[in-house]
Amino acid sequence: TMLSDKGLRVLAMLWEAIELSAVLPPQVDMAMAPLIPKKDKGYRDLGLFPALYCVGMRARQQHCRQWESAHERDFFACGPARAAPDVVWRSSLAAEAADAMDSHAAATLQDMTAFFQTIRHEELLRRAEKHNFPLPLARLAIQAYTSERFLVIKQGIAPGVRPNRGIVPGCAIATYLVKVYYLEQFDALAASHP
């Protein structure tokens, strides 16, 4: 359903209070994490945050897109008008060109979603500051990522846990934060192997 104008103003005031205080209230400081079966065995989780957090972060994605356009790199497959197959094709083309010139080529492709659970929050915040990512958004996201998370599988819900690392798939700015976290390492790798 659509919110009335009055409802939208209240929602905007709530989000403004969250942004100004840099604190998620208890009603928003949690997430459901359904475990979704993978085709090749195992499960993957997805973060389902309260609507206020989702709407607020989605409304601020424009700031993340501005950061992304200022920090664009060819080695990132995710982003506007890009998909993982594009990177694979570019790598294959570079290898073919190197072979035709009797040269060498190498490529390393890594699924960035596998990185989500390994990201350390303190380091993410340090790198966000270093690379001029909007710090209020990074701080709020990290607070949401450490909020109480309830794992859901089939009809069962586990008791809540508070993670101490990782980015939550399902957050509106998760892929931007993955780029923030790995930008420096990938830049160094690309510079050492042009």
Side-chain angles (χ1 to χ4, degrees), residues 62-74 76 80 131-134 176 179-180 183 187:
Q62 66 187 14
H63 301 292
C64 298
R65 283 192 290 273
Q66 289 169 354
W67 178 88
E68 182 181 49
S69 68
H71 295 83
E72 187 56 47
R73 303 292 193 274
D74 287 338
F76 283 129
H131 297 296
N132 300 313
F133 188 83
Y176 301 106
K179 288 182 175 185
V180 167
L183 182 65
D187 273 345

Side-chain angles (χ1 to χ4, degrees), residues 1 10 17 34 36 40 43 54 56 62 70 99 105 113 115 118 128 132 134 159 171 173:
T1 62
V10 169
I36 302 165
D40 59 344
Y43 294 91
C54 294
Q62 66 187 14
D99 185 51
T113 59
F115 290 134
T118 64
N132 300 313
C171 172
I173 68 167

